[in-house]
Amino acid sequence: MKDKRVTIDDVAAAAGVSRQTVSRAINDLPGISIATRERILTTAQQLGYRPSGIARGLANAGQRTRTFGVVVPTIDNEFYAAVLHGIKDLTSARDYHVFLVDTNEDPATEYRRIQSLFSLWIDGLIICSSRMEDQQLAEICSQLRPVILLNREFIHPHAGNVLIDDAEGTESAVRHLVECGHKRIGMILGMPVSRSSENRRQGYLRAMHQAGLPVEPGWMLHTGAQLDAAYTAGKPYLQAHPELTALVVYNDVRAAGLLRACAELGIAVPGRLSLASHDNITLASLVTPSLTTVDIPKYEMGRRGAVMMLDMLTDRRLQPETIRLTPRLVERESTATPNAKGAPIQ
Amino acid sequence: MKDKRVTIDDVAAAAGVSRQTVSRAINDLPGISIATRERILTTAQQLGYRPSGIARGLANAGQRTRTFGVVVPTIDNEFYAAVLHGIKDLTSARDYHVFLVDTNEDPATEYRRIQSLFSLWIDGLIICSSRMEDQQLAEICSQLRPVILLNREFIHPHAGNVLIDDAEGTESAVRHLVECGHKRIGMILGMPVSRSSENRRQGYLRAMHQAGLPVEPGWMLHTGAQLDAAYTAGKPYLQAHPELTALVVYNDVRAAGLLRACAELGIAVPGRLSLASHDNITLASLVTPSLTTVDIPKYEMGRRGAVMMLDMLTDRRLQPETIRLTPRLVERESTATPNAKGAPIQ
DNA sequence: CCGGTTTACGTGAGCGCTCACGTTTTCGAG
DNA sequence: CTCGAAAACGTGAGCGCTCACGTAAACCGG
């Protein structure tokens, strides 16, 4: 800290060569004999020389700082933690570093923090479940390449996509409930700004339509991201809609909140009310009853995104792709045939 | 991207002043009239000028890049996600950016990735539950200030500490079990490299000793970090030790794994076996039975660490502190009086 | 042993800022 | 009106690298 930093010039002087030759040795570039390369690397080692990423970034005008940003709505949700985990392994192996941005589910914060990241000359950006408008995404893509969008479709020559078919996932959940014999099925949605929530809503409506089942507007409810929020909002909702025998829930966290509400209201799950949710995070299999849920390949999503990003960074001519991953319904205890008489709950 | 970057010189030229004057305006430094400051800021705005953090970092020889590193053993565990959440709010508000490092619970990876981070001239470092040796920590502290250690005690003039009294937490859990009437109490430990695990083991031994209860070496078991690992290792352990009526578990994730093992073995919890664990993450209250657990103020831990770090960055003369947070036992369903006859399990 | 090519190096310049000065202008006291 | 100090602004230099060159040495066939 206090003792002067070791620079490339120090190494050059110690090895009796020019700065450029040291650079060649360090970066494994041609135009240097094997003997001198060895010698330079040894003295660099001895001096404890560590090339400055900052100076490198400046020198090549921000072409590569070996850093990129990863943006998630909230690190608190295991879903995003799993995505991050998929990104991390690749990153660590290739010696990149990631700036983590948590937007608190707020589009304005998302935009502001990403803009702020740009001053650090990041090489690329992975945005998970972006809540921003298309226009803002376009602006960001115009300033940077590549930008990889996870769980959010956006077409742009700089933007790659890793998507899961949200509508299809929800449809499969609704179909499952219909096959169980349910006719009055409600839906708990996510935040209004969430695209996934909207897509899943579309899937719900489509599946209900195809099954020839009616949907009341009051059967759909938006809730906050936290378990408590779903619990709080869910309680009056459940009381107001005793006619429902099944619910499709936006994600497992909210389903857990509803489970608690059901327990307090004396609504048996799946006896009186069946619950099917999305994500398949750890708690889905741990709560009682365990949750029937649409599994999203979270780790895979992160991993594929990171692969695309690093590939595009390695070969700048590479074009971004659109990868579609398929969700898969996992049947557990929270769904069952409605009670014999088909009687409304309560 | 393609269009040239806007630099400070572009702004200077456009505003008809020198580069330095623009710098004064941007950084709110004295020696500039209010009128010109306004004018410069306006033209900077119009040109879309964004000062380069990279160039700034280089220019002041790495005194402040407004970035720091956060190191966690694994982002997959909600515990660390919560700590990160506590760090994030402060960071975002003060416009700092964090490099996230996930070490995969491996000390060698931890060391390697931190060294690699140094080339990016980070201003500071927050290490959560470090698995490294004291000697390696000392080396890192000698290269950087401040370093904030969460959940790991280490004395160094550059290092701040935010600690929780692990031993005391475990003692309170054991005392609770003893008060319930348990006499043969085992312990499920974490990874051998984990300091928390070792501290909690000490607390367990001390509490057992104070209660005048015996401890068999075979009653202690190390397991991996994942739920499955605890489940797999726990099953034979439970079968081999039918004499135990209660278990103190290193953390909630492992307790959930044991719960599953118990269910499959037909061991009623808390009927035949009581479980008390640590952390109080979300799933602790969601599993059945809900877990009696030692609550660790995770968010607070992260927040206090971030506060200390940013304060020390703002005023470099500030000395690092050692903050001790107290754990608190949360009683739930997984602990109870052993069955009447005090009979061994099975 | 000589001209031309390859291989091995060295030399400026510059990336976009900040720092430590230097220079000019303003302005009020004597 | 003069002088000196404070305010307002400008001028190198340099942070630690890389890039595009330039130059000297080694090599090689004729």
Side-chain angles (χ1 to χ4, degrees):
Chain A
M1 192 61 191
K2 282 279 82 92
D3 40 338
K4 281 273 289 169
R5 218 186 289 269
V6 180
T7 77
I8 198 173
D9 287 310
D10 298 330
V11 178
V17 294
S18 78
R19 191 190 321 136
Q20 179 60 16
T21 302
V22 176
S23 177
R24 276 186 271 253
I26 298 292
N27 297 300
D28 212 38
L29 294 172
I32 183 176
S33 72
I34 297 172
T36 43
R37 183 195 305 280
E38 293 294 316
R39 186 163 48 89
I40 289 169
L41 290 180
T42 307
T43 60
Q45 180 84 15
Q46 285 168 351
L47 295 178
Y49 169 67
R50 193 187 315 282
S52 162
I54 297 292
R56 273 186 173 155
L58 223 212
N60 52 203
Q63 280 304 290
R64 44 205 169 91
T65 50
R66 295 191 82 80
T67 65
F68 60 89
V70 175
V71 182
V72 295
T74 166
I75 190 62
D76 259 356
N77 188 327
E78 187 193 315
F79 181 95
Y80 300 113
V83 171
L84 219 55
H85 189 227
I87 294 173
K88 168 213 86 177
D89 289 340
L90 258 267
T91 304
S92 179
R94 312 247 310 239
D95 204 36
Y96 271 75
H97 286 280
V98 331
F99 286 108
L100 177 65
V101 173
D102 181 320
T103 68
N104 233 9
E105 303 261 4
D106 175 38
T109 303
E110 187 178 348
Y111 180 77
R112 184 176 59 81
R113 294 243 79 201
I114 288 176
Q115 290 296 336
S116 172
L117 255 191
F118 281 162
S119 70
L120 266 12
W121 291 6
I122 48 174
D123 288 348
L125 194 59
I126 297 182
I127 313 180
C128 189
S129 308
S130 177
R131 268 73 163 121
M132 289 187 295
E133 300 294 330
D134 279 7
Q135 184 207 330
Q136 294 177 301
L137 280 178
E139 184 188 334
I140 282 162
C141 287
S142 74
Q143 297 178 64
L144 188 67
R145 178 197 152 110
V147 173
I148 311 288
L149 295 158
L150 308 183
N151 201 22
R152 164 71 183 264
E153 186 153 18
F154 181 70
I155 309 299
H156 189 283
H158 292 181
N161 289 269
V162 182
L163 305 167
I164 41 116
D165 194 332
D166 275 307
E168 165 56 26
T170 307
E171 282 186 65
S172 71
V174 173
R175 278 199 303 270
H176 169 66
L177 290 168
V178 170
E179 282 164 16
C180 284
H182 293 277
K183 304 213 178 300
R184 293 179 301 281
I185 306 171
M187 180 161 192
I188 305 297
L189 299 162
M191 310 275 277
V193 286
S194 163
R195 309 282 156 159
S196 291
S197 177
E198 179 54 21
N199 292 338
R200 290 174 189 179
R201 194 175 72 91
Q202 296 297 342
Y204 161 72
L205 293 175
R206 202 185 312 156
M208 291 297 276
H209 181 72
Q210 285 179 358
L213 296 173
V215 174
E216 302 284 334
W219 289 359
M220 290 178 280
L221 174 72
H222 286 280
T223 84
Q226 304 305 313
L227 197 150
D228 287 339
Y231 163 77
T232 310
K235 220 163 166 176
Y237 167 85
L238 288 169
Q239 288 176 306
H241 296 285
E243 72 276 17
L244 298 173
T245 67
L247 247 43
V248 184
V249 187
Y250 173 65
N251 68 6
D252 295 329
V253 172
R254 287 169 171 89
L258 281 166
L259 229 39
R260 184 183 292 173
C262 286
E264 290 188 12
L265 293 171
I267 300 173
V269 178
R272 287 193 185 171
L273 184 72
S274 283
L275 286 184
S277 61
H278 292 75
D279 286 3
N280 193 25
I281 63 177
T282 306
L283 70 82
S285 64
L286 293 175
V287 292
T288 307
S290 58
L291 294 170
T292 291
T293 189
V294 178
D295 177 76
I296 310 289
K298 304 163 280 291
Y299 178 90
E300 188 62 11
M301 197 175 200
R303 198 186 63 80
R304 297 291 289 273
V307 167
M308 203 196 299
M309 153 122 284
L310 293 176
D311 282 352
M312 287 181 70
L313 248 26
T314 307
D315 181 354
R316 309 294 297 202
R317 298 161 313 180
L318 244 46
Q319 290 304 308
E321 314 164 55
T322 293
I323 297 172
R324 289 177 194 276
L325 303 176
T326 41
R328 186 180 51 83
L329 186 71
V330 179
E331 296 181 31
R332 293 207 185 87
E333 300 166 356
S334 66
T335 51
T337 309
N339 53 11
K341 296 164 285 185
I345 15 180
Q346 291 211 352
Chain B
M1 192 61 191
K2 282 278 83 85
D3 41 337
K4 280 274 289 170
R5 218 185 288 269
V6 180
T7 77
I8 198 173
D9 287 310
D10 298 330
V11 179
V17 293
S18 78
R19 191 190 323 137
Q20 179 60 17
T21 302
V22 176
S23 177
R24 277 186 270 254
I26 298 292
N27 296 300
D28 212 39
L29 295 172
I32 184 175
S33 73
I34 297 171
T36 44
R37 182 196 305 280
E38 293 293 317
R39 185 162 50 87
I40 289 169
L41 290 179
T42 307
T43 61
Q45 180 84 14
Q46 285 167 351
L47 294 179
Y49 169 67
R50 192 186 315 282
S52 163
I54 298 292
R56 275 186 171 155
L58 224 213
N60 53 200
Q63 282 303 291
R64 43 205 170 89
T65 51
R66 295 193 81 81
T67 65
F68 60 88
V70 175
V71 182
V72 295
T74 167
I75 190 65
D76 259 356
N77 188 326
E78 188 193 314
F79 182 95
Y80 301 113
V83 172
L84 219 55
H85 190 228
I87 294 173
K88 167 214 87 179
D89 289 339
L90 259 268
T91 304
S92 179
R94 311 250 305 242
D95 203 36
Y96 270 75
H97 287 280
V98 332
F99 287 108
L100 178 65
V101 173
D102 180 319
T103 68
N104 231 9
E105 303 261 5
D106 174 39
T109 303
E110 185 177 350
Y111 181 76
R112 184 177 60 81
R113 293 242 79 201
I114 289 176
Q115 290 295 336
S116 172
L117 254 191
F118 281 162
S119 70
L120 266 13
W121 292 6
I122 49 175
D123 288 349
L125 194 59
I126 297 182
I127 313 180
C128 189
S129 308
S130 177
R131 268 74 163 119
M132 289 187 295
E133 299 294 329
D134 279 8
Q135 184 207 331
Q136 294 177 301
L137 280 178
E139 184 188 333
I140 282 162
C141 287
S142 74
Q143 299 178 60
L144 188 67
R145 175 197 154 110
V147 174
I148 310 289
L149 295 157
L150 309 183
N151 200 23
R152 163 72 182 265
E153 186 154 17
F154 182 70
I155 308 300
H156 189 283
H158 293 180
N161 288 270
V162 182
L163 305 167
I164 41 114
D165 194 333
D166 274 307
E168 165 55 26
T170 306
E171 281 186 65
S172 71
V174 173
R175 278 199 304 270
H176 168 66
L177 290 168
V178 170
E179 282 164 16
C180 285
H182 293 277
K183 303 210 177 304
R184 293 180 300 281
I185 306 172
M187 179 158 193
I188 305 296
L189 299 162
M191 310 274 277
V193 286
S194 163
R195 309 283 156 158
S196 291
S197 177
E198 179 53 21
N199 292 338
R200 289 174 190 180
R201 192 175 73 90
Q202 295 298 341
Y204 161 71
L205 293 175
R206 202 186 310 158
M208 290 297 276
H209 182 72
Q210 285 179 359
L213 296 174
V215 174
E216 302 285 334
W219 289 0
M220 289 178 280
L221 173 73
H222 285 281
T223 85
Q226 304 306 313
L227 196 149
D228 287 340
Y231 162 76
T232 309
K235 219 162 167 179
Y237 167 87
L238 289 168
Q239 289 177 304
H241 297 284
E243 73 275 17
L244 299 173
T245 67
L247 247 42
V248 184
V249 187
Y250 173 64
N251 68 7
D252 295 329
V253 172
R254 287 170 172 88
L258 281 166
L259 230 38
R260 184 184 293 173
C262 286
E264 291 188 12
L265 293 172
I267 300 173
V269 177
R272 287 192 185 171
L273 184 72
S274 283
L275 286 183
S277 61
H278 292 75
D279 286 4
N280 193 23
I281 64 178
T282 307
L283 71 82
S285 63
L286 293 175
V287 291
T288 307
S290 57
L291 296 170
T292 292
T293 190
V294 178
D295 178 76
I296 310 289
K298 304 163 280 292
Y299 178 90
E300 187 63 9
M301 197 174 197
R303 199 185 63 80
R304 297 291 287 275
V307 167
M308 203 195 299
M309 152 122 283
L310 293 175
D311 282 353
M312 287 181 69
L313 249 27
T314 307
D315 180 354
R316 308 294 297 203
R317 298 163 311 180
L318 244 47
Q319 290 303 308
E321 314 164 56
T322 293
I323 297 172
R324 289 178 194 276
L325 304 176
T326 41
R328 186 179 49 83
L329 186 72
V330 179
E331 296 181 31
R332 292 208 184 89
E333 300 165 358
S334 65
T335 51
T337 308
N339 54 8
K341 295 163 285 184
I345 16 180
Q346 293 209 358

